[in-house]
Amino acid sequence: MSSATDLHPSPDLSDPPRVVLLEGIHPAAASLLRGQGFEVTEIRGALGPGALAEALRGAAILGLRSKTQVTAETLSECTDLLAIGAFCIGTNQVDLSAAAQRGIAVFNSPFSNTRSVAELTIAEIIALSRRLFDKSSGLHAGRWDKSAAHAHEIRGRTLGIVGYGHIGSQLSVLAEAMGMRVTFYDIAPKLPLGNAMALPSLQALLETADVVSLHVPATPLTEGMIGAAELAMMRPGSFLINNARGSVVDIGALAVALASGAIGGAAVDVFPEEPAANQGAFDCPLAGLSNAILTPHIGGSTEEAQENIARDVSSKLLRFMLNGSTTTSVNVPEVDLPLLRESQHRILHFHRNVPGVLGRMHTMLAARGVNINAEFLQSKAELSYVILDVDPVEGEAVKEGLRQIPETIRVRTLW
Ligand code: NAI
């Protein structure tokens, strides 16, 4: 995670950027941003379009979670906005292309809850192996059932991980520390951690694992990846865990396999259809099966993950604001910039990606006697982002000159 404190030798914050944080974002975000001199307004709930545009008047940064919709129309009203932080995983709530066309960089935090999902999975492996939920609900219902039958340690058992990415590989380390043997299957070549062993096919994994845990994204390839045929390949008494995406498992086929005892149990956190809001009605074929642990998409929902997200996204926003770097932005070209050297000025320029713009910029700067010491450029689709480190300049005049170039979308300076 990037540090927010070593970005710029002396950010000029005589006019502190205004930040609006919505939807009860973890206070670590406001604290980090205020620590760099930004003026932060925190609003607990989401805002509708009119109220949002109003709240963003004069604001350089918007922070939101999943409930606030940022449309092209709202963006057109927020002329001072430079960056949006989605303090969550998804970014569907923001019109990313409209933001890019205005040179507004959008950042999110795709991996801050990795550990939370891995830990939940470990808990579920143990809970299934000890029939914990069954025993607990039995006792709640007044049934004392002390027995070792069908209760197992996880030590020495084989965990098969499907998708060895951020979560899968983290789970691999935790599971091995608890004495499990780990195998995995991934479509991309992955370095096995510890003693984990890569398997050549999903079938090889399904046929040999005591616990199969899914950690793949929702893609056309993973849709219905585990159906009746795959469940039939699993070992009798084995467990299936889906903390990935609801589309990956045929939930009807899983209910049949659980009810018939073809597999021993399952833990499912994600469903093909999930209620849009808390307290929404929920029904699925797995409801009522005592060997299925069901959780309401809480794999990544911990206070630690929320704090990690707050720190991660704020750091990315600060790097963009104070240094110009767009690394990991989901919508604008990614440029990872060095620290600005003492006695240098930095020009940050978003423009339409067409021939001749750099030439016009150089000509304009040369005409003003501006000496360029370093230049960085990256393009993505129709947008280009160029950064020039120059000897000290009269910022407003240079910005005005660059705004005269018809392809210019946005220009900003740092010193
Ligand atoms: P990641 O992108 O780091 O890893 C995914 C891995 O799956 C990659 O190594 C990729 O090569 C592999 N993969 C993709 N298609 C595959 C296929 N057809 N067969 C085998 N391997 C395949 O993703 P990350 O962060 O590990 O997340 C994994 C899943 O967990 C995602 O679907 C994500 O949405 C979900 N998730 C669920 C949460 C929850 O609350 N339950 C919270 C966070 C993530």
Side-chain angles (χ1 to χ4, degrees), residues 27-52:
S31 161
L32 265 171
L33 292 160
R34 287 193 181 112
Q36 291 291 316
F38 288 35
E39 187 191 307
V40 181
T41 306
E42 291 171 273
I43 298 173
R44 274 220 71 75
L47 293 182
L52 181 59

Side-chain angles (χ1 to χ4, degrees), residues 165-167 186-187 190 215-217 225 243 245 269 297 299-300:
H166 288 82
I167 297 172
D186 199 297
I187 39 164
K190 296 279 168 170
H215 299 286
V216 289
M225 185 180 206
N243 290 336
R245 279 292 175 259
D269 187 46
H297 204 145

Side-chain angles (χ1 to χ4, degrees), residues 331-351:
N331 70 327
V332 300
E334 288 190 55
V335 183
D336 190 12
L337 296 167
L339 285 181
L340 182 57
R341 294 206 330 261
E342 287 287 341
S343 72
Q344 285 287 284
H345 287 185
R346 180 164 283 174
I347 299 168
L348 310 159
H349 188 258
F350 283 106
H351 60 262

Side-chain angles (χ1 to χ4, degrees), residues 96-108:
L96 295 179
S97 131
Q101 281 161 25
R102 294 178 177 279
I104 298 171
V106 181
F107 300 93
N108 67 341

Side-chain angles (χ1 to χ4, degrees), residues 41 55 73 88 101 115 133-134 157 221 254 261 275 279 282 305 308 329 336 386 399:
T41 306
E73 197 182 337
C88 49
Q101 281 161 25
R115 176 69 182 212
F133 282 69
D134 211 10
R157 301 238 144 193
L221 258 188
L254 176 59
Q279 318 309 333
F282 177 74
N308 287 342
S329 168
D336 190 12
V386 66
K399 278 197 277 189

